C-alpha cells in the first residue's frame, strides 16, 4: 500500500481553494443565516466535511475543548448550489430550524418562486404557509423527476442507489438547488450493516462538490453543547483544502499557525478524509501530496503520536488507516503498526481451514477461534442462501476509533467489516485480528448453517459448557494467535493471549461472569430481552474514559489480569460491573443526572447476589463516613438539584437509603414495574420519569416518599406528590 502511494505522488498537486482569499463565504453565510437564532442540538448530529473550492461552513461549533466542526455546510457547483446538514431533524419547520431551511431554499433557488420537491420530509403545510409551492417525491431521485423542481429537499438516510447520486450531481450542476440531511454515523445501522463510504448513493456524487456526510459521531457528543449559535464569521480552516494549504505554508515558513490553528486544520482534514471512498479522489491525492514524507508511523504506549508534536504523521497515519480499511478485495499490505498492536502470530504458525456453525438466532459477533495476521489473505465461503442477507465478516475486536484524541498509543482505526455478498469472499486486513461472523438481527428465525473459513491461525477460545478446563490447559490456550477469548452464554472476554494463558480454571471464571450478567438481567427484568452475550474487550487505548460501555464494553489491557481473576479472596472490581450496568440502564428509570447512578445501584446488587459480600464494600466513596458527608452536603446546598446531578456518589446515597430501608426486593419491584400495566403508562420524558420514580417506589414501599425526594432535591410535580399523599410519610432515621 505504501508503494502504491509513493508511485502516485509524482503526479499529485494540491487542490486549490479560494476560501479565506476574499469575503465571499461570509456574504453567502450571512444570507443563509439571516434571521436565524440559536439552533437546538437535536438528536446526536454528526459533523459534515468540507473541502471544495466553493464550499463553506454555515453552522459550526466546538465542544469539550475540541476544534470546531460543521453541522451545516453549503457549496456552489456548476450552475447550482447545495446545502447539507448532519442530522435529518434540521429539515423541519420549528423555530430557527425553519428559518434556516427557508433561507437555504432561497439561496439554492435560481428563481424567485421555486417549485420544491420534498423527499422523505413532511414540509408541505409549512412551505405553503410561506407562499411556496411544493410536491411530495414518491419515487427515486432520477433525472426526469429532479428536473421538474427548482429545489429538492431530501432526507437521504436511506439513499443507496448510485444512479440517484449521479442524477443529483447532474441536477445541481445544471442549476438545481439541493438541500439534504442524514445521520452519517448511523448509516451502518439503518442500512443493515453497510458502510457509508462504500454504499451510500451520494458517496461519489458529492466528491466534486466538496461537501459530504461523515461517519463521525464525537464532534457534538458533549452534554454541555445544547445549542448551535449562528455566527457570521467562522474559521476558514474548517475547509480542509484551506487547512492543507495553510499547513503547507506553515511548514515552509511562509506563514505561522498557532497551536489552536494547527488543531483546527488537522481536525478538518481528518473529518474530510473520513468521507472518502476507497477509489482515488482529488482530495485524497492532495492529502498524500502534502503529507507523504516519512515512513509509516508506529505509535506505542511508550511513544504515542501527539497532536502537538506529530501533526503530519497523524494526518498521514489517519489517511492510511481510512484508505486501508475500505480497500476492496484481498490485496492489502500489512501496516507497520500492526506488529505492535494488535500484534502478529508467528509467521510459521500453522494455517488451518475450519467449518464454523452459525446460529442465526444469536445476533452480533460469532467468535470463530481464528486469527488473521495483518496482510494475510482470508477466504470465507457460505451457501447461496446466506449471500446478501446482512451477514458480514469482522476482522478485529478493537472497534474504538481514536481520531478525535490528542494522543494515539495505537493506530486510530484497526478493524474491518466486510459484507458477505458472494458465496466466496476474499478479503484481508492491514492490521489483522480475531475473526468473527457478524449475524444481523434480521436473521432471527433461520436455521443454523456452516461457514468455511480458510488459511487462518488458531486462537485460544474457551466456551463454557463446550470445552473443559483440561482441554484449555493442555491444548487450547497454547494456540499461537496473540489474542484469546473466554466465553459463556452471557459474556465473552477478549484479551491478549499472554494474559489468558494464566487462567487455569476457566470454568469457574466464566461461571462467575455468567452469574454477574444473569444477576443484572434478573434485577433489571431483562432476562427475556437477552439475545446475545455481552462482550468485554481490552485495548491499549480506548476512545473515552478509563472504561466505557457498549458492544463491546472497552477496558484497558492493563486490567486484563483483574478481569480474569476470580478466587475466594480476589475478584474483578467495580468498573467491570459498572459498565455492564450501563448496558442494563433504560430511560424508564434513568433520568438526567442519574446516568452514572442507576447503573451503580445494579452494581451494588452484584456484590449482594453474586459475590455474597457486603454490598457497600465495592467502592471507597461508599463508606459510612462518605455517605454522612453526602447528607451534610445536600443539607447545606443552595441548589440541591444541581448538587445531586453533579455528584454521582452523592446521588447514589439516595438509592442506598431506599434499599437499606425497603430491601433489594423493592428495587427489583421498581424496575419490574415498567412491565406491569397496573402501574400506569411508561414515562415519556424526564419529568415523567422522576414523577414515576416517586409514585412507583411509594406504592411498592407503601410509604409517602415525597418529603424524602424534597430532602434530596429531586424535582417532582405536585400531582405526583398528591398521588402518594395517602401513604404514611417516611424519612430515614436521622434526617
Amino acid at each position: 500500500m505504501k508503494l502504491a502511494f509513493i508511485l502516485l505522488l509524482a503526479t499529485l498537486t494540491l487542490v486549490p481553494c479560494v476560501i479565506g482569499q476574499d469575503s465571499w463565504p461570509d456574504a453567502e453565510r450571512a444570507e443563509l443565516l439571516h434571521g436565524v437564532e440559536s439552533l437546538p442540538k437535536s438528536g446526536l448530529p454528526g459533523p459534515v466535511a468540507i473541502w471544495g473550492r466553493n464550499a463553506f461552513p454555515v453552522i459550526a461549533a466546538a465542544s469539550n475543548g475540541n476544534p470546531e466542526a460543521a453541522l451545516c455546510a453549503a457549496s456552489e457547483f456548476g450552475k447550482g448550489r447545495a446545502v447539507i446538514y448532519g442530522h435529518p431533524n434540521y429539515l423541519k419547520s420549528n423555530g430557527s430550524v425553519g428559518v434556516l431551511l427557508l433561507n437555504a431554499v432561497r439561496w439554492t433557488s435560481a428563481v424567485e418562486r421555486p417549485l420544491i420537491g420534498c423527499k422523505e420530509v413532511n414540509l408541505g403545510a409549512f412551505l405553503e404557509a410561506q407562499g411556496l409551492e411544493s410536491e411530495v417525491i414518491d419515487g427515486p431521485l432520477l433525472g426526469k423527476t429532479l428536473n421538474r423542481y427548482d429545489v429538492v429537499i431530501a432526507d437521504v438516510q436511506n439513499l443507496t442507489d448510485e444512479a440517484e447520486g449521479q442524477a443529483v450531481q447532474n441536477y445541481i450542476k445544471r442549476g438545481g438547488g439541493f438541500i439534504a440531511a442524514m445521520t452519517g454515523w448511523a448509516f451502518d445501522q439503518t442500512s443493515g450493516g453497510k458502510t457509508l463510504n462504500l454504499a451510500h448513493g451520494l458517496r461519489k456524487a458529492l466528491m466534486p462538490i466538496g461537501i459530504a456526510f461523515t461517519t463521525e459521531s464525537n464532534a457534538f457528543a458533549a452534554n454541555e453543547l445544547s445549542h448551535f449559535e449562528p455566527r457570521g464569521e467562522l474559521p476558514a480552516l474548517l475547509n480542509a483544502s484551506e487547512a492543507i494549504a495553510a499547513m503547507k505554508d506553515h511548514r515552509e515558513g511562509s506563514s505561522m499557525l498557532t497551536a489552536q490553528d494547527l488543531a483546527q486544520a488537522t481536525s478538518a482534514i481528518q473529518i474530510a478524509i473520513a468521507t472518502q471512498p476507497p477509489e482515488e479522489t482529488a482530495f485524497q491525492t492532495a492529502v498524500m501530496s502534502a503529507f507523504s514524507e516519512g515512513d509509516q508511523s508506529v505509535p506505542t504506549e511508550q511513544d504515542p503520536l501527539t497532536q502537538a508534536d506529530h501533526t503530519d504523521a497523524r494526518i498521514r497515519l489517519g489517511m492510511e488507516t481510512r484508505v486501508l480499511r475500505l480497500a476492496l478485495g484481498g490485496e492489502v499490505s500489512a501496516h507497520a503498526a500492526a506488529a505492535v498492536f494488535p500484534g502478529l502470530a508467528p509467521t510459521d504458525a500453522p494455517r488451518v481451514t475450519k467449518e464454523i456453525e452459525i446460529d442465526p438466532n444469536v445476533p452480533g459477533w460469532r467468535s470463530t477461534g481464528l486469527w488473521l495476521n495483518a496482510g494475510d489473505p482470508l477466504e470465507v465461503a457460505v451457501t447461496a442462501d446466506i449471500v446478501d442477507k446482512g451477514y458480514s465478516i469482522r476482522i478485529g475486536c478493537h472497534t474504538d476509533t481514536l481520531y478525535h484524541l490528542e494522543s494515539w498509543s495505537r493506530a486510530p482505526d484497526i478493524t474491518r467489516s466486510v459484507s458477505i455478498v458472494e458465496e466466496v469472499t476474499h478479503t484481508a486486513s492491514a492490521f489483522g485480528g480475531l475473526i468473527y461472523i457478524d449475524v444481523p438481527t434480521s436473521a432471527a428465525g433461520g436455521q443454523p448453517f456452516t461457514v468455511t473459513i480458510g488459511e487462518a491461525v488458531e486462537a485460544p477460545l474457551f466456551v463454557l459448557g463446550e470445552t473443559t478446563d483440561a482441554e484449555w490447559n493442555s491444548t487450547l490456550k497454547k494456540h499461537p494467535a496473540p489474542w484469546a477469548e473466554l466465553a459463556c452464554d452471557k459474556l465473552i472476554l477478549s484479551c491478549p493471549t499472554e494474559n489468558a494463558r494464566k487462567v487455569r480454571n476457566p470454568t469457574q471464571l466464566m461461571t462467575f461472569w455468567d452469574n454477574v450478567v444473569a444477576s443484572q438481567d434478573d434485577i433489571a427484568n431483562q432476562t427475556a430481552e437477552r439475545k446475545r452475550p455481552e462482550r468485554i474487550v481490552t485495548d491499549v487505548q480506548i476512545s473515552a474514559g478509563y472504561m466505557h460501555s457498549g458492544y463491546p464494553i472497552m477496558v484497558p489491557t492493563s486490567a486484563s489480569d483483574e478481569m480474569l481473576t476470580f478466587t475466594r479472596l480476589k475478584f474483578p472490581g467495580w468498573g467491570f460491573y459498572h459498565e455492564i450496568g450501563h448496558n442494563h440502564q433504560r430511560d424508564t428509570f434513568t433520568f438526567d443526572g442519574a446516568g452514572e447512578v442507576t447503573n451503580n445501584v445494579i452494581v451494588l446488587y452484584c456484590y449482594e447476589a453474586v459475590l455474597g459480600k457486603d454490598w457497600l464494600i465495592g467502592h471507597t466513596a461508599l463508606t459510612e463516613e462518605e455517605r454522612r458527608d453526602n447528607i451534610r452536603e445536600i443539607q447545606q446546598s443552595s441548589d440541591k438539584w444541581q448538587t445531586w446531578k453533579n455528584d454521582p456518589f452523592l446521588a447514589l446515597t439516595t438509592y442506598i437509603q431506599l434499599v437499606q430501608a425497603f430491601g433489594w426486593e423493592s428495587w427489583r419491584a421498581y424496575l419490574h414495574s415498567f412491565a406491569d400495566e397496573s402501574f400506569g403508562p411508561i414515562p415519556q420524558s424526564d419529568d415523567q420519569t422522576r414523577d414515576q420514580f416517586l409514585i412507583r417506589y411509594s406504592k411498592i414501599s407503601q410509604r409517602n416518599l415525597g418529603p424524602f425526594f424534597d430532602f434530596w432535591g429531586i424535582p417532582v410535580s405536585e400531582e405526583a406528590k398528591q398521588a402518594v399523599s395517602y401513604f404514611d410519610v417516611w424519612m430515614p432515621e436521622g434526617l
Side-chain angles (χ1 to χ4, degrees):
M1 193 68 187
K2 181 184 176 187
L3 178 61
F5 278 144
I6 293 172
L7 293 174
L8 184 64
L9 294 181
T11 61
L12 302 186
T13 56
L14 191 65
V15 174
C17 178
V18 300
I19 302 298
Q21 295 179 6
D22 54 39
S23 61
W24 171 78
D26 291 345
E28 302 301 310
R29 188 182 303 112
E31 186 176 337
L32 283 160
L33 295 179
H34 180 72
V36 177
E37 298 179 354
S38 182
L39 298 177
K41 185 177 81 172
S42 187
L44 180 55
V48 293
I50 308 166
W51 70 91
R53 169 189 292 271
N54 295 318
F56 59 93
V58 179
I59 296 285
S63 66
N64 247 10
N66 293 321
E68 296 210 38
L71 169 73
C72 174
S75 183
E76 292 185 347
F77 177 66
K79 297 179 180 179
R81 291 175 167 181
V83 175
I84 64 171
Y85 298 86
H87 199 287
N89 283 354
Y90 294 96
L91 298 182
K92 292 187 176 180
S93 59
N94 49 298
S96 283
V97 170
V99 175
L100 179 56
L101 184 59
L102 286 174
N103 290 348
V105 168
R106 297 187 186 99
W107 187 80
T108 58
S109 174
V111 298
E112 186 174 342
R113 296 181 62 81
L115 176 60
I116 304 166
C118 296
K119 175 73 172 176
E120 305 294 340
V121 291
N122 183 19
L123 292 168
F126 169 67
L127 294 171
E128 183 180 356
Q130 307 302 318
L132 295 170
E133 185 179 357
S134 68
E135 296 176 352
V136 173
I137 301 176
D138 289 324
L141 297 175
L142 296 174
K144 184 176 289 188
T145 299
L146 289 167
N147 292 339
R148 174 175 171 76
Y149 303 106
D150 301 297
V151 176
V152 170
I153 304 174
D155 177 345
V156 296
Q157 189 73 40
N158 299 315
L159 195 158
T160 55
D161 186 344
E162 283 197 10
E164 288 187 80
Q166 187 59 52
V168 167
Q169 184 193 103
N170 294 338
Y171 167 73
I172 298 170
K173 191 173 184 178
R174 288 195 300 266
F178 190 65
I179 303 168
M182 69 174 291
T183 310
W185 59 263
F187 179 74
D188 65 335
Q189 303 167 30
T190 60
S191 66
K194 296 178 181 178
T195 302
L196 180 72
N197 303 48
L198 296 174
H200 195 268
L202 289 171
R203 69 184 187 93
K204 287 184 179 179
L206 292 175
M207 292 297 108
I209 301 174
I211 53 177
F213 304 103
T214 78
T215 57
E216 301 295 292
S217 62
N218 289 307
F220 307 129
N223 289 332
E224 81 271 7
L225 180 64
S226 60
H227 288 78
F228 295 91
E229 300 301 332
R231 290 173 289 154
E233 294 185 10
L234 291 174
L237 296 177
L238 278 165
N239 183 297
S241 289
E242 176 76 0
I244 292 171
M247 292 182 73
K248 185 172 182 290
D249 290 343
H250 177 80
R251 286 201 309 276
E252 294 173 353
S254 58
S255 67
M256 296 303 293
L257 298 177
T258 66
Q260 183 178 358
D261 288 336
L262 283 170
Q264 181 64 70
T266 303
S267 173
I269 294 167
Q270 292 286 13
I271 288 173
I273 289 172
T275 70
Q276 305 298 302
E279 58 268 17
E280 179 191 337
T281 68
F283 181 74
Q284 285 182 34
T285 61
V287 172
M288 293 312 299
S289 178
F291 302 103
S292 61
E293 296 178 3
D295 295 328
Q296 288 184 329
S297 298
V298 181
T300 67
E301 280 189 284
Q302 296 73 31
D303 190 15
L305 290 183
T306 64
Q307 178 60 49
D309 299 326
H310 308 94
T311 301
D312 286 13
R314 281 167 60 97
I315 292 175
R316 201 162 56 239
L317 180 56
M319 183 71 174
E320 290 166 359
T321 55
R322 293 184 193 277
V323 171
L324 288 166
R325 187 173 185 267
L326 295 172
L328 303 175
E331 298 296 323
V332 177
S333 300
H335 194 283
V340 175
F341 194 88
L344 300 171
T347 54
D348 61 352
R351 269 55 175 176
V352 302
T353 296
K354 274 192 172 184
E355 291 187 346
I356 308 295
E357 185 173 280
I358 305 297
D359 182 354
N361 298 296
V362 181
W365 307 353
R366 168 64 162 88
S367 296
T368 64
L370 295 171
W371 169 272
L372 184 70
N373 258 1
D376 280 3
L378 179 69
E379 180 178 288
V380 178
V382 300
T383 54
D385 57 319
I386 302 305
V387 171
D388 214 15
K389 293 294 192 301
Y391 291 91
S392 58
I393 305 156
R394 169 165 291 283
I395 304 169
C397 56
H398 300 96
T399 56
D400 272 16
T401 57
L402 312 179
Y403 295 108
H404 62 292
L405 299 180
E406 291 292 313
S407 178
W408 295 346
S409 295
R410 64 160 170 83
D413 189 1
I414 62 174
T415 64
R416 286 201 76 186
S417 179
V418 181
S419 296
I420 297 177
V421 294
E422 298 178 301
E423 290 184 50
V424 178
T425 301
H426 292 96
T427 188
S429 165
F431 293 92
L434 291 168
I435 301 169
Y436 306 89
I437 301 299
D438 202 347
V439 180
T441 55
S442 59
Q447 295 299 311
F449 61 92
T450 298
V451 172
T452 303
I453 301 176
E455 296 303 302
V457 176
E458 288 190 285
L461 173 62
F462 174 87
V463 180
L464 183 66
E466 295 182 16
T467 47
T468 66
D469 288 359
E471 290 171 317
W472 170 257
N473 287 305
S474 64
T475 304
L476 297 178
K477 73 179 183 182
K478 297 177 182 179
H479 285 161
W483 282 77
E485 293 192 315
L486 298 101
C488 58
D489 283 347
K490 296 178 178 63
L491 181 71
I492 300 172
L493 309 176
S494 305
C495 64
T497 296
E498 63 180 335
N499 298 97
R501 285 176 178 154
K502 298 176 186 178
V503 177
R504 297 182 179 180
N505 50 355
T507 296
Q508 180 194 41
L509 174 70
M510 297 317 296
T511 299
F512 159 74
W513 278 118
D514 206 56
N515 290 337
V516 168
V517 179
S519 72
Q520 295 206 14
D521 285 351
D522 173 52
I523 197 73
N525 197 26
Q526 293 168 27
T527 300
E529 291 183 27
R530 182 156 302 285
K531 300 294 186 292
R532 68 184 183 190
E534 303 284 348
R535 282 185 172 272
I536 302 179
V537 173
T538 67
D539 196 336
V540 70
Q541 185 178 17
I542 64 177
S543 61
Y546 176 66
M547 298 179 176
H548 71 71
S549 58
Y551 184 84
I553 293 166
M554 299 300 301
V555 306
T557 49
S558 59
S560 295
D561 286 343
E562 180 185 0
M563 179 178 74
L564 299 173
T565 301
F566 179 72
T567 65
R568 184 174 61 86
L569 298 177
K570 188 175 181 182
F571 40 82
W574 180 275
F576 297 96
Y577 319 133
H578 173 94
E579 302 304 343
I580 297 172
H582 270 308
N583 284 359
H584 283 81
Q585 283 177 311
R586 299 293 183 268
D587 290 342
T588 50
F589 60 88
T590 306
F591 44 84
D592 180 36
E596 294 295 333
V597 184
T598 56
N599 61 318
N600 284 340
V601 186
I602 297 173
V603 170
L604 296 175
Y605 181 70
C606 285
Y607 280 84
E608 168 86 6
V610 181
L611 295 169
K613 304 287 186 181
D614 177 350
W615 52 275
L616 294 174
I617 69 165
H619 201 287
T620 56
L622 298 176
T623 65
E624 186 174 353
E625 182 179 356
E626 289 289 336
R627 285 180 279 129
R628 282 199 300 266
D629 287 345
N630 291 335
I631 292 170
R632 281 194 292 269
E633 182 176 353
I634 204 72
Q635 287 173 323
Q636 297 167 7
S637 174
S638 60
D639 189 339
K640 288 185 173 184
W641 179 224
Q642 284 301 317
T643 299
W644 195 96
K645 289 199 298 181
N646 292 334
D647 187 337
F649 282 100
L650 179 146
L652 184 59
T653 306
T654 304
Y655 294 85
I656 290 172
Q657 289 181 322
L658 290 172
V659 174
Q660 285 177 324
F662 304 112
W664 281 111
E665 281 308 310
S666 69
W667 177 249
R668 178 194 304 277
Y670 170 54
L671 298 192
H672 284 233
S673 74
F674 298 102
D676 185 345
E677 292 182 358
S678 70
F679 279 89
I682 298 297
Q684 301 297 317
S685 67
D686 257 15
D687 289 344
Q688 291 180 15
T689 302
R690 292 192 303 272
D691 279 358
Q692 287 296 307
F693 181 23
L694 169 63
I695 293 171
R696 290 168 186 257
Y697 228 106
S698 292
K699 288 182 177 179
I700 290 163
S701 64
Q702 296 290 290
R703 296 291 188 273
N704 177 0
L705 302 180
F708 176 68
F709 275 55
D710 287 341
F711 173 84
W712 284 105
I714 302 172
V716 290
S717 69
E718 289 302 319
E719 290 80 6
K721 292 179 181 179
Q722 189 62 36
V724 301
S725 61
Y726 58 91
F727 293 122
D728 291 338
V729 170
W730 172 83
M731 287 287 281
E733 185 177 347
L735 298 190

